[in-house]
Amino acid sequence: MTEEVFVSPRKKGKIAVLISGRGSNYMAIHDAILAGKINAEIALVFSNKEDAPGLKIAQERNLETLFLDPKAYSSREEHEAEIIKEIRNRDVDLVCLAGYMRILSPSFCDEFKNCLMNIHPALLPSFPGLHVQKKAIDWGVKYSGATVHFVTADVDMGPIVIQAVVPILQDDTEDTLSERILKEEHKIYPEAVRLFFEGKLEVRGRRVYINR
Ligand code: GRF
């Protein structure tokens, strides 16, 4: 069987970000765009939470925002179908999950195969899921970090684009470790998006090659 190969497009791209909370990761991406480091624009900041602080800041940054209340739909699929329509209407090339706290259905993941990214505050495949900074401390691992990965239906298990390693210190609390990991997140997420739109990411099965 021939292996499926995906190469990211080299173009000025459009991004949709999906958030549920403070949105510091999409802001780091936006800052990198404004600094001329990423050849793209943010076409939409979407949230499933009306009061997400990141949504208000997006408006202050003159970014287009959209809130669609999941409770207004009879099923997850209907809610997602509307999100897909809004994203497609804007000719988006890359969807970035940035603290989006809803599990996406397999059909949503398939719709945006190879153009749906997420940032996770641990070194995947260790510590998938929630509260992973605390879990890493409790487990006693010496290193954690952050992972940018393509999203597949298998939650937190898609092909890994970039990782950053953060040592765990003896006196770390969930807060101090989260803070140091977040600093790395703000570096590697914009970097992954930059590489995507420079046509430098090649996905072969589980592996993402970075063609410099
Ligand atoms: C980050 O820690 C990210 O890794 C995780 O959710 C958090 C979102 O933070 N997926 P922010 O909303 O981008 O500030």
Side-chain angles (χ1 to χ4, degrees), residues 22-30 32 38 97-100 117-123 129 132-133 144-149 162-166 174-193:
R22 100 199 124 176
S24 70
N25 274 289
Y26 92 73
M27 287 174 216
I29 293 169
H30 188 223
I38 299 175
L97 306 182
Y100 189 64
M117 274 186 191
N118 183 40
I119 179 102
H120 182 79
L123 291 177
V132 294
Q133 298 94 332
S144 187
T147 303
V148 178
H149 63 95
I162 307 183
Q163 293 185 301
V165 175
V166 175
E174 183 178 3
D175 284 349
T176 58
L177 179 60
S178 300
E179 200 179 309
R180 289 207 315 290
I181 290 176
L182 193 64
K183 277 198 188 133
E184 297 304 316
E185 294 182 34
H186 294 167
K187 292 180 201 159
I188 65 172
Y189 211 175
E191 174 69 0
V193 175

Side-chain angles (χ1 to χ4, degrees), residues 28-66:
I29 293 169
H30 188 223
D31 289 345
I33 291 172
L34 295 177
K37 293 179 188 158
I38 299 175
N39 190 22
E41 63 178 279
I42 294 181
L44 180 66
V45 178
F46 171 81
S47 180
N48 62 323
K49 299 262 182 207
E50 193 169 22
D51 58 355
L55 216 47
K56 192 160 175 282
I57 297 171
Q59 284 153 7
E60 286 160 15
R61 288 179 175 229
N62 288 319
L63 295 171
E64 193 183 347
T65 60
L66 178 68

Side-chain angles (χ1 to χ4, degrees), residues 7 11 13 19-20 31 43 46 54 60 79 91 106 108 118-119 125 132-133 147 158 166 172 179 196 200 205 207:
V7 179
K11 64 184 290 200
I19 65 167
S20 300
D31 289 345
F46 171 81
E60 286 160 15
H79 183 240
D91 281 333
F108 189 98
N118 183 40
I119 179 102
V132 294
Q133 298 94 332
T147 303
V166 175
D172 258 333
E179 200 179 309
F196 184 91
K200 290 182 175 161
R207 298 190 64 183

